[in-house]
Amino acid sequence: MLRKSCFSMANDGCQLPAWTGQAFAYLPHHPRGTALASQSYAQLKPQGMQTSAGLSTSGPAAALREDRTGVWNGPAPVGSTGRTQNGAETAATAVPQSEYLLLRSGANLPLVGFGTYKVDKADSVRCAIAEGYRHIDCASFYGNEETIGEGIAEFISQGHRSDLFITSKIWNDAHRPKLVRASCEKSIKDLGCEYLDLLLMHWPEAWEPDSGMPGKPDHTVTIQQTWEAMEELVDSGLVRHLGVSNFSVKQVEELLECARIKPVANQVELHPFLPQRKLVGVCARKVMINDCGESIICTKRGDSESTETPN
């Protein structure tokens, strides 16, 4: 128990990295290939250079003061002006952005997905596909998977099932192992998609079957038992990847300790008003992505009500 307390990321969000105290070979002052003789630019400044307030008006010290590059008289970093220390213009280089996130299995998850909460028309889904959306995020709780299935049916019938990444979720009242399979099979049937690319545990909370909203806690099943039932769906070919939703750091770590098939994602509310940096960092270290629900929030001016897409 002591070891878990000391090294659990849920404790403080981070661990000391293995390279603590070591030199970074890519830094300009690193002597590359030899023992590190200095720990900073200041310690590697040219010999004889004055560092007091009375800098000379000629020689290296003068150049240093003029360039304003600190104690290291090397290339200055390029700032917002787009100029180097010698005044040369620098051309901005566009960095190509990936359209996908790489899962631990090697599969590609489209970076932007189409959330289907409150979508009640198949044409909405058809339009989304026509606009280029390939990640379709669904859930049994949304109660519209038949409608979503109608929207993707034509695209799938044209032989493009593998071009779609379809996600669904197990609702709280279906955590018992037999109900996990039944829920998954119903989602696949309603969506008409043969298999699910990603199946999420919607919440880390089990409710008794048909106990309404909010449900009555189901103390007969654990998160581990629900996860094991989800793993069997992967074994049988009904699901390609597993994940969770709305899990905390502690819950993620506890699941990782017992999971045979590791979760690839944790779908949570994530946006500039709720960045959840610690959770994102822990998931990244555990080779999990944070699938962002509610990344776009539309609020009426002067009105406290907002239209959101729940997880």
Side-chain angles (χ1 to χ4, degrees):
M1 293 301 294
L2 178 61
R3 182 178 183 275
K4 180 178 179 181
S5 175
C6 290
F7 292 92
S8 171
M9 291 185 184
N11 189 40
D12 63 0
C14 63
Q15 297 184 46
L16 286 176
W19 41 260
T20 298
Q22 299 179 14
F24 293 91
Y26 56 80
L27 291 178
H29 74 267
H30 193 285
R32 291 180 178 80
T34 62
L36 184 63
S38 66
Q39 296 295 331
S40 70
Y41 292 110
Q43 295 177 21
L44 203 69
K45 64 183 182 293
Q47 293 184 356
M49 181 178 293
Q50 301 179 35
T51 56
S52 62
L55 289 175
S56 63
T57 57
S58 62
L64 171 66
R65 182 179 56 190
E66 181 180 354
D67 293 337
R68 298 181 181 178
T69 56
V71 294
W72 175 256
N73 194 27
V78 177
S80 60
T81 60
R83 293 177 178 271
T84 60
Q85 68 166 10
N86 60 9
E89 294 287 347
T90 58
T93 303
V95 179
Q97 299 295 319
S98 174
E99 296 180 358
Y100 302 91
L101 292 173
L102 185 65
L103 301 180
R104 65 165 70 238
S105 66
N108 288 321
L109 171 68
L111 192 60
V112 179
F114 179 70
T116 60
Y117 178 65
K118 290 188 177 180
V119 172
D120 58 0
K121 295 181 175 59
D123 282 342
S124 299
V125 184
R126 295 189 188 100
C127 289
I129 292 177
E131 290 297 323
Y133 284 93
R134 293 297 180 265
H135 179 192
I136 312 297
D137 183 77
C138 312
S140 60
F141 174 70
Y142 299 166
N144 60 357
E145 289 188 325
E146 286 190 31
T147 300
I148 307 305
E150 293 176 16
I152 63 178
E154 182 179 356
F155 191 74
I156 290 178
S157 67
Q158 295 172 352
H160 298 308
R161 170 61 186 92
S162 61
D163 294 332
L164 294 177
F165 193 101
I166 301 176
T167 298
S168 190
K169 308 177 187 74
I170 299 293
W171 185 237
N172 302 351
D173 63 358
H175 274 220
R176 296 179 183 180
K178 290 184 179 180
L179 298 180
V180 168
R181 175 173 285 272
S183 175
C184 176
E185 290 177 342
K186 184 177 187 304
S187 290
I188 292 174
K189 178 182 178 181
D190 291 346
L191 292 167
C193 59
E194 300 179 14
Y195 62 88
L196 294 174
D197 295 278
L198 177 61
L199 179 65
L200 305 178
M201 191 184 308
H202 208 148
W203 285 88
E205 183 177 354
W207 294 350
E208 291 185 358
D210 303 319
S211 60
M213 179 74 177
K216 184 178 179 181
D218 187 352
H219 300 294
T220 67
V221 62
T222 64
I223 294 296
Q224 181 175 352
Q225 291 171 328
T226 302
W227 189 259
E228 289 173 350
M230 294 171 66
E231 291 174 329
E232 292 179 1
L233 299 175
V234 176
D235 296 336
S236 62
L238 294 176
V239 175
R240 297 288 175 85
H241 304 89
L242 298 177
V244 295
S245 180
N246 303 299
F247 270 50
S248 67
V249 171
K250 181 179 180 181
Q251 290 163 340
V252 166
E253 291 186 322
E254 290 176 347
L255 177 59
L256 287 169
E257 288 183 359
C258 67
R260 173 172 59 89
I261 299 176
K262 305 300 182 183
V264 300
N266 182 18
Q267 186 179 106
V268 296
E269 181 180 355
L270 197 64
H271 49 73
F273 295 106
L274 187 63
Q276 303 208 64
R277 294 181 179 90
K278 179 176 178 178
L279 178 61
V280 172
V282 170
C283 289
R285 294 184 186 100
K286 299 295 186 180
V287 199
M288 294 174 60
I289 65 167
N290 282 108
D291 191 3
C292 309
E294 298 175 282
S295 57
I296 299 177
I297 302 180
C298 301
T299 304
K300 295 180 180 178
R301 185 181 300 273
D303 192 344
S304 60
E305 295 183 358
S306 64
T307 302
E308 303 178 355
T309 301
N311 295 325

